Amino acid sequence: MFKSSFAAAICFACTTLASPALANKVFVSNERGNTITVIDSDTWEVIEEFPGGNRPRGIGISPDGKFLYVCSSDDDTVRVFDTETYAELWTLPSGPDPELFTIHPSGDYLYIANEDDNLVTVVDTQSRTVVAEIPVGVEPEGMAISPDAAFVINTSETTNMAHFIDTADYQIKHNILVDQRPRYAVYTDDGSKLFVSSEIGGTVSVIDPLAANGPELTSKISFEVAGVQPEWLQPVGMRVTADNKWLFVALGPANRVAVIDVETLEVVDYILVGQRVWQMDFTPGQEFLITTNGNSNDVTVIDVDRQQAIKSIQVGEQPWGVAVTPD
Amino acid sequence: MKGFARFVTSIACLIGTAISAYALEINTAVLRVDYPSLLPISRFDLTPDDIGFAGGVLADEDNQTTGNFMGMTFATRYVATSPEELDETLRGLLGDGIDLLVVMANAQDLLTVADQAGPDVLVLNATSRDMSVRDDQCRANLLHVAPSEMMLADAVMQFAIWKQWNEVFLIQGSNPTDQALGDAYRRAATKFGADIVEEREFEDTGGSRRTDTGHVLVQRQIPVFTQGAEDHDVIIAADNSDLFALYLPYHLWTPRPVMGSGGLRPVTMHAAHEAWGATQFQRRFEENSGRYVQEADYEVWLALRVIGEAVIRINQADPAALREYILSDAFELAAFKGRKVNFRPWNGQLRQPVLLTDSKLTVSVSPQDGFLHQVSTLDTLGLDQPESACTAFTQ
């Protein structure tokens, strides 16, 4: 909390900010509404809703907090917005039907999954050009980057693999088979574990990316909720706390977020959120986790320490992705 | 051409891939028996020359993309034959060492193929909905990717019950295949507690399908045919012969929704299905084939994906090992239906959700909410183990 207010105060001193000084902005892409909703993380009020192109899904913010990147899937492009003015600045060549991407820690590259073309497209955010197209499995979807930026991970939904793409030469160096329809990948901040969620398989695969003989599947986490049919426990979006203690997994149509102890890999709790919970993001200090709930048109705010849902906020139609500005 | 270019890049990519690759070749065949048939009522239902095969080509691509990362080569032959030449065609395929067969044929020919191929060959029924081949005529080497008529009828009846359309007016055709479908609807009604309050038979008097101003006659005939029925909530048509069901909507004496062979139809796939990633399937299929997908295309795609998925998981192409894995709890497959599909180990039937379409959109998907089963809610559709006369899988 101290860190965030300090950073915001500096920011206040150097710019003329109209919004409350302590707040971060939460950007939510509304897949059906074709809009981006902006929420103030201090008041949890919606402060703006602006057009996001056709079928906005994957969403992310540059490390410096200036640019908002939105996959406009039906426009075959990534739109870039100013996080202050919400003006659309330019577009990036994304390849067809971009769905999800991950950002290089330097902010220089986006790694974009092109669902239709079995490709991962690497885009230089400065020159706005395509640097590489990497053939991967069928229906690429989930994207992650290792903390040391050595590998980009892509998951392919019909091939059911996590592909390890070397960021130096854009070659696939390892492939790991996981359960059906892998949707999302995320590393722990220390780079010691990689999690891959399989929507239809109903599991999260735990991969040791640093194993002696190359990345290795070490275990699988499965889910069980009394009174919920097992087939609706469909893991999708994930986030790990920076202290590497807690993994949060959105369970789609089960309307819950699972809380997993990263050390023991046990599910310790299920937090009830809105309907068809999809993607999630932390506020910068990780006090809060925001979930998008596609079928109830709202987002849920989870208090990370207490592992409780504290608020839901109505957004646009079918919220899909969420990204929070850094301090 | 684009497909070729993609293949080249995939191979190039394989060279840079550090997976321990040893060559595994998987040789399958899709065997299609073409029967003489009349033209369909609707031009939308015309059968393209590459029916089924086009789905197979896509499955091959999907399997091979993964195969490239695993050091596997998938090769599939596509063979169409007449019923008369089936024996000879089959002998040729078996003689060439094909031991994984996807078959598009009627029930009788399906059994011929399974029996002639013998226990060392795994046969996948891609398209036949016949009940007997899953029941008293089941074969240990014959798995069913297509849903049975009972599964489809149950999918329709569950929707009727969910809507509280409990009183059903059943109209069935006069051919044996229509009557078999009618039986499936009668069983479904008993199973889920609907009342069939009226039954009528639409007689097949031969002749060609209506053309030109046929609708004028239809507009006069159907109201009269459906006049004076007991009070009912819904009409269900059992018309495998494609003779009358499409004429029912809007022409009924008493305006009611139509389901079954016309109106809201149970299908494995239709070209407008987009949920659960199906849009990507549709786009890949259309780019390859230049047309919209039909059910048989999806079913052949699914059959080859069943084989491909099993090969990829166990790293073997031996039919006995594949069969064992496919029938085990470990097997699961994503099929653009929102949940995994797998097999009933007691008769080799693929468990699967059934789409209900008005021919424009996916209207609903069965099983419906609230229909429960001790094994899987998917087992609320179709023949269940206690009522099955199939013993080939337990011996």
Side-chain angles (χ1 to χ4, degrees), chain A residues 288-301:
Chain A
F288 303 108
L289 179 70
I290 298 114
T291 76
T292 56
N293 311 316
N295 282 351
S296 46
N297 295 340
D298 56 7
V299 300
T300 300
V301 182

Side-chain angles (χ1 to χ4, degrees), chain A residues 55 57 73-74 76 97 99 115-118 134-139 156-161 163 171-181 183 198-203 220 229 231-232 234 276, chain B residues 2 6 9-10 12-13 15-19 61-63 65-66 69-70 276-281 283-284 287 301 305 309 312-313 332-341 369 372-373 376-378:
Chain A
R55 204 174 177 208
R57 293 195 283 176
S73 298
D74 285 356
D76 299 334
D97 199 15
E99 180 161 359
E115 241 190 331
D116 265 356
D117 264 25
N118 305 346
I134 306 149
V136 292
V138 182
E139 291 170 44
S156 48
E157 290 177 331
T158 290
T159 297
N160 301 314
M161 277 180 171
H163 307 287
Q171 295 293 317
I172 294 177
K173 296 294 166 69
H174 313 279
N175 296 290
I176 296 217
L177 266 178
V178 295
D179 286 344
Q180 298 293 304
R181 240 178 133 64
R183 276 281 190 172
S198 291
E199 181 190 18
I200 296 295
T203 59
K220 286 178 188 170
Q229 290 290 328
E231 64 266 21
W232 302 130
Q234 300 185 347
R276 193 187 190 248
Chain B
K2 191 166 181 198
R6 188 182 301 170
T9 49
S10 304
C13 161
I15 295 163
T17 302
I19 207 157
E61 268 190 32
D62 288 354
N63 286 335
T65 304
T66 312
F69 295 118
M70 308 277 295
W276 304 303
T279 310
Q280 275 70 47
F281 170 84
R283 287 181 184 162
R284 289 204 305 279
E287 192 182 332
W301 174 85
R305 282 288 298 129
E309 184 64 22
I312 286 158
R313 296 287 163 178
E332 58 182 42
L333 186 60
F336 307 106
K337 302 285 172 67
R339 52 192 292 184
K340 60 185 118 177
V341 298
D369 274 352
L372 302 178
H373 190 279
S376 159
T377 53
L378 292 178

Side-chain angles (χ1 to χ4, degrees), chain B residues 39-74:
Chain B
L39 285 175
I41 290 180
S42 167
R43 291 195 77 250
F44 287 136
D45 297 332
L46 285 168
T47 303
D49 290 342
D50 62 349
I51 184 77
F53 293 172
V57 170
L58 180 62
D60 260 346
E61 268 190 32
D62 288 354
N63 286 335
Q64 190 56 54
T65 304
T66 312
N68 288 344
F69 295 118
M70 308 277 295
M72 296 169 175
T73 309
F74 289 86

Side-chain angles (χ1 to χ4, degrees), chain A residues 80-98:
Chain A
V80 185
F81 297 91
D82 185 314
T83 54
E84 282 302 321
T85 65
Y86 315 133
E88 184 174 328
L89 301 172
W90 53 79
T91 61
L92 295 175
S94 66
D97 199 15

Side-chain angles (χ1 to χ4, degrees), chain B residues 27-149:
Chain B
N27 296 305
T28 53
V30 177
L31 174 58
R32 188 182 79 193
V33 186
D34 291 333
Y35 302 97
S37 68
L38 295 169
L39 285 175
I41 290 180
S42 167
R43 291 195 77 250
F44 287 136
D45 297 332
L46 285 168
T47 303
D49 290 342
D50 62 349
I51 184 77
F53 293 172
V57 170
L58 180 62
D60 260 346
E61 268 190 32
D62 288 354
N63 286 335
Q64 190 56 54
T65 304
T66 312
N68 288 344
F69 295 118
M70 308 277 295
M72 296 169 175
T73 309
F74 289 86
T76 303
R77 283 167 62 179
Y78 299 92
V79 183
T81 182
S82 66
E84 295 75 27
E85 287 166 347
L86 173 60
D87 275 4
E88 196 187 328
T89 309
L90 179 63
R91 269 199 304 276
L93 288 172
L94 297 173
D96 291 345
I98 297 288
D99 54 10
L100 298 166
L101 261 180
V102 173
V103 179
M104 305 168 67
N106 66 24
Q108 190 191 332
D109 289 340
L110 200 52
L111 292 180
T112 304
V113 170
D115 292 342
Q116 281 191 22
D120 298 332
V121 177
L122 186 61
V123 181
L124 275 73
N125 164 25
T127 53
S128 170
R129 274 92 169 122
D130 179 86
M131 278 313 301
S132 67
V133 295
R134 290 140 167 109
D135 199 7
D136 58 327
Q137 293 300 309
C138 73
R139 300 290 193 270
N141 64 337
L142 177 60
L143 307 182
H144 308 278
V145 170
S148 68
E149 254 163 10

Side-chain angles (χ1 to χ4, degrees), chain A residues 124-206:
Chain A
D124 184 321
T125 56
Q126 308 286 321
S127 67
R128 301 172 210 165
T129 53
V130 173
V131 179
E133 288 184 330
I134 306 149
V136 292
V138 182
E139 291 170 44
E141 166 106 10
M143 298 296 305
I145 188 161
S146 60
D148 63 2
F151 284 101
V152 161
I153 308 302
N154 163 252
T155 67
S156 48
E157 290 177 331
T158 290
T159 297
N160 301 314
M161 277 180 171
H163 307 287
F164 286 68
I165 302 165
D166 192 324
T167 52
D169 59 8
Y170 301 127
Q171 295 293 317
I172 294 177
K173 296 294 166 69
H174 313 279
N175 296 290
I176 296 217
L177 266 178
V178 295
D179 286 344
Q180 298 293 304
R181 240 178 133 64
R183 276 281 190 172
Y184 200 80
V186 67
Y187 271 95
T188 52
D189 268 22
D190 62 3
S192 68
K193 287 193 176 83
L194 170 70
F195 299 105
V196 175
S197 61
S198 291
E199 181 190 18
I200 296 295
T203 59
V204 170
S205 293
V206 185

